[in-house]
Each structure stands twice: as structure tokens, then as C-alpha cells.
Amino acid sequence: MIEFKNVTKSYDRKNLVLKKIDFKIKTGEFVVLIGESGCGKTTTMKLINRLIDPSEGSIFIDGEDISKVDPITLRRRIGYVIQKEGLMPHMTIGENIELVPKLLKWEKEKRKARAYELLSLLNLDPEMYYEKYPHEVSGGQKQRVGIARALATNPDIILMDEPFSALDPITRESIQDEVLKLQKELGKTVIFVTHDMDEAIKLGEKIAFLKDGEILQFDIPDEILKRPTSEYIEQFLGKDRIWKTPKKLLVSDIMSRHYSTIDKSSNISRAYNLLKAHDSDFLVVTEVEGGKHEEPIGIIFRKNLIYAMENNILRVRDIMDKNFITIDKDSNLLDVLNKMSTLNAKVIPVVDDKNRLTGVITNLGLVNAINKIAPTPEIEGEEVEQIGEAL
Ligand SMILES: Nc1ncnc2c1ncn2[C@@H]1O[C@H](COP(=O)(O)OP(=O)(O)O)[C@@H](O)[C@H]1O
Ligand SMILES: [Mg+2]
């Protein structure tokens, strides 16, 4: 675990570049620092491997105050990857990767074996690349070598400062995928800096949002997307972002908990009174009285009740709509839209993993939920059609 406790940093004793930074990164976690240029991302990174020291406050790694650890010893536990991969131009790729192992006086054979292993790990054929010079390979390959070098001595923490910002989008996608896979396989703690929200969402288990030397929000990507804590973050995210990731919007986020239930053996007039009292259009029918957490067995609408009264049908169970669908609370917005449109459902009871009623999704509720989450959604294409169809 890496822990910042009340860390401030100023370079000139006047301007605070970091103001009382307080956060914890768990072992094995992939944490992304994001924010505009100059907000203090690089400064935060450099404090971790003691390229600089805090003006106030302390940083702990696994409970140990790092100001008491020799920086060289500390850095052996911490790999560092920077934007311009920082390879030595006059050294081969092999020599670049073996730089630190060599300083640590590893035998040549052991060093080479490690370099080969790492090149393979990063999808670079060692036979082909070991002897090459940095200028002979592409930007993406150089960046892979930069990562290999950071992993050389098997550190448990990796710092990555905007490592992919100079890469073209396609190379960038594939190298992001590789880093994610690697981090999972190797179980490293990664602190990754970017100013690109898409990259942050894709990579981060947690995202720390920085502005002017302060952490505005530190949370899982879903939470930041759904509930940004400030207007600044909201703007940074772009209000339409949720529409780019409708899979992240879960039924439990958009369902309504305001609904009434009635048991199947109740009579129609009781159902009608209940509807009137709650100014509702429908009731969810359950097996027993007050069965909020029971399995839903039917739905009854106002028009069914009127029909029942006109035709002397006495019991709820004889008129309820049994051909309804339910949806799991962990499904996402796209699943809801699909179900609503293909089955032409007006009300969908939401159930938990034990098939117990936990909420409902209605057309109107859906619109309201959507409006609340994205006040002025700029939605396009498929999703608009699906919503149009669903309502
Ligand atoms: N060595 C330094 N001396 C003085 N000011 C610095 C130094 N390094 C960074 N700064 C200032 O600290 C602020 C944060 O910088 P930095 O952490 O590099 O931002 P980021 O990585 O988020 O773009 C900036 O205003 C920058 O100008
Ligand atoms: Mg920076």
C-alpha cells in the first residue's frame, strides 16, 4: 500500500503545487491520475520514488515512511516509465533493458535471460530486437522497451507518466491492452498518469482526479462517470460520455423504488383503491400480502381493473398480466432498452439474484432517470433509435 498523508509540495516556498494530498493506493491496484497540464500529476509521481521530497507531510509504502529509505534502494522497488520512453540512443535495446540489472551487478547471462523474457512478455521477438538500436524501431516498440526496462528488476510498483500520449491511436489501444493484461498477470501496483479520460476509464481500477494540486475525486471509474462531485469534472467528462458507455449504467441505478404491490388473492376493488391512493398506473402482484421482497408473479394495470369491474371479475389473480418480463438489477441500460423495445413492455419488475422484487422500471421512470443523469444528453445513432423504440 502507498499512502500519502497531508502531502504538500512547493518548489519556491510560495506557490503550492500540491495541497494536502491524502490518498491510499492498495497493493496490486491500477490507479490513474488525471487532470489538466500543470495540476501536479508528475509531481505526485516523483514524490513516490523520491526524485523529489514533500515540503510537508509524509508518504508511506507498506507502512514505511519513505523519507527514511535510501532513494536508490527505494527505486529498486519502483519501475518508472516516462512519456518519451527515455531510452539511451547509443545503447541497444538489450543494453537498455539491462541497465539497472547491470548496475546491480547481475551476471551477463542472467541479465540477457531477463531481457529476453521481458521482450517476449511485451510481444517483441527477442531474436529480432535484442541487438537493435532505439532509432531502428517504431514509437510503440520503443515504448514497449521502456516498459520492459521498468520491469527489469521485478519491482512491485510501476509508475507510468503519460507513457502512451505520443502514440498513434491504434498502437495505443493495443499497448494499453497489453499493459492491462500484464498488470493482472504480474499483480503489480501501477500508478498511471494521463490527461485522456478514455484512457483513464479503460485502464483505471480507480481514478484520482487532480486540479490545481488537489484531489477533487478519487473513486472507481463508474462512480466518477455517474456521480462526478464537481462541475469541473462533469465538464471534463463531457455530458454525453455516459452515452458512449451505456453498459456502465446499471438497472439498479435507474430503477424506481416507488411502486405498490398487491397479493394475488386480493379483490379487485382493493386493488383499485390502492392504485388511486398511490396515484399509480400499475401494481406488481405477489404471492403474499405485503410481498415487496417476494417473487413478482404478475402485473396489473389500471385498464385491467376497469375491465374486471365491468365484467364482474373479482380477484386480482384472474385478471393480472402473467406474460410480463423481469430484469436483473445488475443488467445495464442497453439490456433494458432491448427488452422494452422487443417485448413492448411498459413496466419491468427488477429482481435480485434470488428473483425477489427490488424495484421497477417504467417508461416514464426511465426517461426521468436518464434526464437526471444526463441533463442535456447529446445522444446519437443506435441509442436514440432504441430509446425511441422503447418509449
Ligand atoms: N522543478 C520545478 N520548479 C518549479 N516549478 C515546477 C517544477 N516542476 C513542476 N513545477 C510546477 O508545478 C506545477 C505542477 O507540475 P507537474 O506536476 O509537472 O504537472 P503535470 O504533470 O500535472 O502537468 C506546474 O505549475 C509546474 O510549472
Ligand atoms: Mg506531467
Side-chain angles (χ1 to χ4, degrees), residues 10-12 16-18 35-44 46 52 161-162 193 210:
S10 65
Y11 287 101
D12 55 9
L16 287 182
V17 168
L18 292 181
E36 285 174 6
S37 175
C39 69
K41 304 180 295 294
T42 297
T43 302
T44 305
K46 287 181 173 170
I52 53 174
D161 196 349
E162 308 212 25
V193 165
L210 274 80

Side-chain angles (χ1 to χ4, degrees), residues 258-260 274-283 301-302:
H258 300 288
Y259 58 92
S260 306
L274 200 58
L275 265 194
K276 263 178 46 189
H278 290 94
D279 194 23
S280 170
D281 270 334
F282 69 93
L283 298 168
F301 292 94
R302 186 179 287 259

